[in-house]
Amino acid sequence: QQQVKQSPQSLIVQKGGISIINCAYENTAFDYFPWYQQFPGKGPALLIAIRPDVSEKKEGRFTISFNKSAKQFSLHIMDSQPGDSATYFCAASVTGGFKTIFGAGTRLFVKA
Amino acid sequence: GAGVSQSPSNKVTEKGKDVELRCDPISGHTALYWYRQRLGQGLEFLIYFQGNSAPDKSGLPSDRFSAERTGESVSTLTIQRTQQEDSAVYLCASSSGGLAGLQETQYFGPGTRLLVL
């Protein structure tokens, strides 16, 4: 119940295309869903996050779509660029709790 | 400090040796986490410190792993009698401490790359 399942494991997208990464969870107590971006040799860094009271959040080219009934959320990267090539982790946590559960990660490669 | 720092950045050791990894969290952050990331894998939770509370050690994979934290500052992760399967990147993160109603952002250090030969 504590798992967050992330897919795909890897993704290759042409420059200018849309990158879509999906995550699913089971614990309905989760109420905070961040996405982290990790470049090679670096630690993960928060990219964008959403709470379940909204169905979508957009920041620049990055959009989170959230489906509470399906217990799924996804990251969309519009107009993908080679600089977006990184590993992306979805995560989930409970407000006031401490443990963040991370997905297994998606390695994105954007071809120039 | 400006961010989470970790040392050493790389460590090569022989099987059976002990290693100590250090994490300096962001000043004022009461929560500190250790994760392990094997090559091409996700983040594996190891241990969590929050202020003066007892740490949550539920993620430590064996009794060869231990961690300490002095107050709300530096933490050290110790791996005794290292094995080849311990080879991984060990990431430390800190956050502001889980105050009610606040969403927690974890700020990660660059990691320590451990190679056990």
Side-chain angles (χ1 to χ4, degrees), chain B residues 52-72:
Chain B
N52 295 318
S53 302
D56 184 299
K57 306 179 181 180
S58 60
L60 293 178
S62 76
D63 59 7
R64 296 187 296 105
F65 288 73
S66 63
E68 292 183 351
R69 187 181 186 195
T70 307
E72 295 183 352

Side-chain angles (χ1 to χ4, degrees), chain A residues 44-63:
Chain A
L46 180 68
L47 180 65
I48 186 173
I50 197 169
R51 297 177 61 181
D53 54 349
V54 297
S55 60
E56 186 175 283
K57 183 174 182 179
K58 184 176 181 179
E59 290 183 2
R61 296 183 295 108
F62 300 90
T63 299

Side-chain angles (χ1 to χ4, degrees), chain A residues 18-82:
Chain A
I18 302 174
S19 304
I20 302 175
I21 304 170
N22 300 299
C23 284
Y25 64 98
E26 295 183 358
N27 186 352
T28 55
F30 288 142
D31 61 0
Y32 181 60
F33 302 90
W35 285 87
Y36 284 81
Q37 180 187 54
Q38 184 180 30
F39 292 106
K42 305 290 185 183
L46 180 68
L47 180 65
I48 186 173
I50 197 169
R51 297 177 61 181
D53 54 349
V54 297
S55 60
E56 186 175 283
K57 183 174 182 179
K58 184 176 181 179
E59 290 183 2
R61 296 183 295 108
F62 300 90
T63 299
I64 300 178
S65 296
F66 187 84
N67 186 330
K68 188 174 182 178
S69 61
K71 291 185 284 186
Q72 296 175 348
F73 57 111
S74 60
L75 176 69
H76 296 234
I77 306 174
M78 313 299 288
D79 186 27
S80 298
Q81 299 297 311

Side-chain angles (χ1 to χ4, degrees), chain A residues 93-107:
Chain A
S93 64
V94 178
T95 299
F98 72 89
K99 189 178 287 188
T100 296
I101 308 299
F102 286 86
T106 296
R107 300 177 77 175

Side-chain angles (χ1 to χ4, degrees), chain B residues 76-98:
Chain B
T76 55
L77 176 69
T78 301
I79 308 174
Q80 296 178 307
R81 305 181 301 282
T82 52
Q83 303 295 312
Q84 289 181 333
E85 63 262 28
D86 298 334
S87 296
V89 175
Y90 290 83
L91 290 161
C92 173
S94 70
S95 66
S96 60

Side-chain angles (χ1 to χ4, degrees), chain A residues 1 12 15 38 93 96:
Chain A
Q1 242 209 348
I12 300 174
K15 178 182 175 181
Q38 184 180 30
S93 64

Side-chain angles (χ1 to χ4, degrees), chain B:
Chain B
V4 178
S5 59
Q6 293 185 245
S7 60
S9 54
N10 293 281
K11 177 72 177 178
V12 180
T13 190
E14 294 180 348
K15 177 182 173 181
K17 301 280 189 182
D18 297 352
V19 295
E20 200 170 89
L21 313 179
R22 177 187 167 109
C23 172
D24 283 87
I26 292 173
S27 178
H29 279 189
T30 59
L32 187 146
Y33 310 75
W34 282 98
Y35 296 90
R36 180 169 68 181
Q37 185 176 31
R38 290 198 166 104
L39 186 64
Q41 303 296 312
L43 302 175
E44 179 185 358
F45 168 79
L46 297 178
I47 189 169
Y48 163 77
F49 296 90
Q50 169 59 54
N52 295 318
S53 302
D56 184 299
K57 306 179 181 180
S58 60
L60 293 178
S62 76
D63 59 7
R64 296 187 296 105
F65 288 73
S66 63
E68 292 183 351
R69 187 181 186 195
T70 307
E72 295 183 352
S73 59
V74 172
S75 175
T76 55
L77 176 69
T78 301
I79 308 174
Q80 296 178 307
R81 305 181 301 282
T82 52
Q83 303 295 312
Q84 289 181 333
E85 63 262 28
D86 298 334
S87 296
V89 175
Y90 290 83
L91 290 161
C92 173
S94 70
S95 66
S96 60
L99 295 175
L102 294 181
Q103 305 294 1
E104 287 279 13
T105 297
Q106 293 187 32
Y107 296 86
F108 285 83
T112 293
R113 284 148 194 79
L114 174 66
L115 177 62
V116 182
L117 300 176

